[in-house]
Amino acid sequence: MNNFISNSTFATGSKLKVAIQKSGRLSEESLKLLKDCGIDLRNVKDRLKTESDNFPLEVFFLRDDDIPQYVEDGVADVGFVGENVVYEKNKKVTVVEKLGFGKCRLSVAVKKGDDYTDIFSLNGKRIATSYPVLVKNFLDKNNVNAEIHEISGSVEIAPGIGLADAVCDLVSSGSTLFMNGLKEVEIILQSQAVLIKNNHLNPELQALLNKIVFRIESVKRAKNNKYILLNAPNEKLSEIISLLPGMKSPTVLPLATEGWSSVHSVLSEKEFWDIIEQLKNAGAQGILVVPIEKMIL
Ligand code: PRT
Ligand code: ZN
C-alpha cells in the first residue's frame, strides 16, 4: 500500500538533480537545509552521488566553482552555491532563492599603513584576486584603471610578498585580513548561498523545484521567527496586544487565575529584544520563547 502511494505521488519517475558542494563551507548547511525540508538522503559520506527515499531527488557532490556550469548544461537541474561564484562564473542560470547561510562579502583591501582616500586611490595599483570578472566590472563601473592579477588561493599574502598592492577577496569575520596587515576599503558584493536553477527545466522538474522552494521558505521563515507565550493582567491586555505584530492577531486565552490571560504570538528575530522589553514594561509576566520548526503561511 505504501509503495502504491509513493509511486503514484511522483507518477512519471523524474528526479530533480541537485548539486551541492562536496566539502567546504557550504556543504554541511546545504545538507542540513535539505534535511530541514524533510528530505532524507541515503548515506552521504565520501560519495559522489546519493539519492532520497522520500523525495524524487538525487544529490551530486561537486566543487563549488563547477556548480554553475553543471547547472547551465543541465547535468544538474539546480544547485546550492555562493552568489560570489554565480556572478563570477556568469553562466546562464537563474537565482531562485537566497538561502540565508554562507554569508560573506567580496572586498578590496590594502596594506594597513597605506594612504587610502577613495576608490580612485586604486588607480595604477595591482590587485590580486580569485574574482577577476567581478573586480573588472567593479573597476570599470567606477572608472578606475588598475591591474588585475588572478591567483587561485592565499590571496591575502600577495601584498606582503610584493606581488600586489591590494587584494580583493571574501571576508567574513575580517580576521584573515587583520592577521595579514590589511584593511578593508571597498565592498564589491554582499554574498550568501543561493539556490540556482537551469533555465530550461521541464514542467515536471519545475513542479518538484516549486515543492522544495515552498519548504525552504517555510524553514527560513521559521528560523527568523520565535513563538512567544506570556501572561498578562486583563486590564493591560489591549496595550500588550498592540505591541505584538504576529501573523494575524494574537491568541488570547483566559488563565485559571481570575483577571489574567495567556497571550500567544509570533515575533521576528530582528525586533525580538526591543519588543520583549516593552512587553515587560507593559506588565507581561512569565514570558516563554519557543523556536519554531516550520512556518507555513
Ligand atoms: O573545494 P571547493 O572549490 O568546493 O571550495 P572552496 O575552497 O572554493 O570554497 P570554500 O569552501 O572556502 O567556500 C565556499 C563558499 O563559502 C564561498 O564561495 C562563499 O560563498 C562562502 N564563504 C562564506 C566563504 C567565506 N564565508 C570565507 N570567509 N568563502 C571563503 N572564505 C574565506 C576567504 O576566502 C578568506 O580566505 O575565509 C577567509 C576570510 O575569512 P575571515 O573570517 O577571516 O574574514
Ligand atoms: Zn571553490
Side-chain angles (χ1 to χ4, degrees):
M1 185 63 183
N2 271 341
N3 268 348
F4 174 71
I5 291 171
S6 62
N7 288 340
S8 65
T9 312
F10 307 112
T12 52
S14 265
K15 287 187 178 180
L16 192 72
K17 291 170 283 172
V18 180
I20 69 173
Q21 191 187 21
K22 180 165 171 50
S23 91
R25 288 167 199 263
L26 304 183
S27 311
E28 222 167 273
E29 295 252 38
S30 302
L31 288 170
K32 179 169 185 306
L33 182 56
L34 286 176
K35 190 165 193 275
D36 290 345
C37 287
I39 297 169
D40 298 331
L41 296 176
R42 290 192 196 154
N43 178 22
V44 295
K45 277 234 149 38
D46 306 320
R47 299 277 297 271
L48 295 176
K49 201 179 131 182
T50 188
E51 57 190 336
S52 172
D53 286 327
N54 66 351
F55 196 94
L57 168 147
E58 283 177 304
V59 173
F60 294 86
F61 297 101
L62 301 166
R63 282 200 58 199
D64 66 345
D65 315 70
D66 298 332
I67 291 177
Q69 182 72 62
Y70 280 121
V71 171
E72 178 183 304
D73 294 344
V75 176
D77 302 310
V78 300
F80 291 44
V81 66
E83 283 174 294
N84 50 305
V85 173
V86 177
Y87 299 128
E88 176 67 25
K89 299 293 176 190
N90 205 13
K91 300 293 172 195
K92 295 189 194 75
V93 297
T94 302
V95 173
V96 180
E97 182 83 25
K98 295 196 186 230
L99 300 175
F101 60 86
K103 286 187 179 167
C104 57
R105 51 197 189 272
L106 183 64
S107 292
V108 178
V110 298
K111 287 192 209 153
K112 216 169 275 167
D114 283 0
D115 282 338
Y116 188 93
T117 39
D118 58 24
I119 198 165
F120 298 107
S121 306
L122 294 171
N123 261 323
K125 297 282 172 17
R126 296 162 304 163
I127 306 175
T129 187
S130 311
Y131 293 87
V133 172
L134 289 173
V135 176
K136 183 171 185 326
N137 290 346
F138 172 76
L139 296 175
D140 289 352
K141 198 177 80 197
N142 290 288
N143 293 316
V144 173
N145 201 354
E147 237 179 77
I148 298 172
H149 283 248
E150 183 177 354
I151 51 179
S152 59
S154 304
V155 170
E156 66 280 355
I157 64 169
I161 58 173
L163 195 73
D165 309 300
V167 300
C168 181
D169 198 8
L170 298 174
V171 182
S172 44
S173 67
S175 65
T176 303
L177 292 183
F178 181 79
M179 283 180 341
N180 286 279
L182 301 170
K183 62 178 177 189
E184 193 175 357
V185 290
E186 303 286 342
I187 296 177
I188 291 191
L189 175 78
Q190 293 283 357
S191 177
Q192 60 178 286
V194 288
L195 176 63
I196 56 171
K197 71 163 186 168
N198 175 276
N199 285 346
H200 311 285
L201 286 188
N202 68 40
E204 203 181 338
L205 292 173
Q206 181 64 48
L208 290 176
L209 174 58
N210 293 347
K211 273 178 194 270
I212 291 182
V213 170
F214 177 81
R215 294 184 188 191
I216 289 176
E217 286 176 351
S218 307
V219 170
K220 269 173 52 184
R221 213 177 286 124
K223 262 189 210 148
N224 295 333
N225 287 279
K226 297 270 181 269
Y227 192 76
I228 170 170
L229 303 93
L230 58 87
N231 295 335
N234 286 348
E235 69 274 13
K236 300 280 189 173
L237 260 184
S238 56
E239 188 187 345
I240 284 174
I241 288 172
S242 71
L243 295 169
L244 292 168
M247 281 169 90
K248 286 207 175 100
S249 51
T251 307
V252 181
L253 303 165
L255 285 183
T257 312
E258 183 102 6
W260 282 79
S261 298
S262 167
V263 180
H264 301 198
S265 188
V266 171
L267 278 188
S268 94
E269 189 86 69
K270 276 187 216 141
E271 52 194 5
F272 180 76
W273 286 111
D274 281 344
I275 294 187
I276 292 283
E277 230 163 74
Q278 295 172 37
L279 288 169
K280 279 196 72 174
N281 293 339
Q285 293 184 11
I287 303 175
L288 280 184
V289 179
V290 187
I292 300 173
E293 197 182 299
K294 307 277 186 304
M295 195 162 150
I296 322 275
L297 291 184

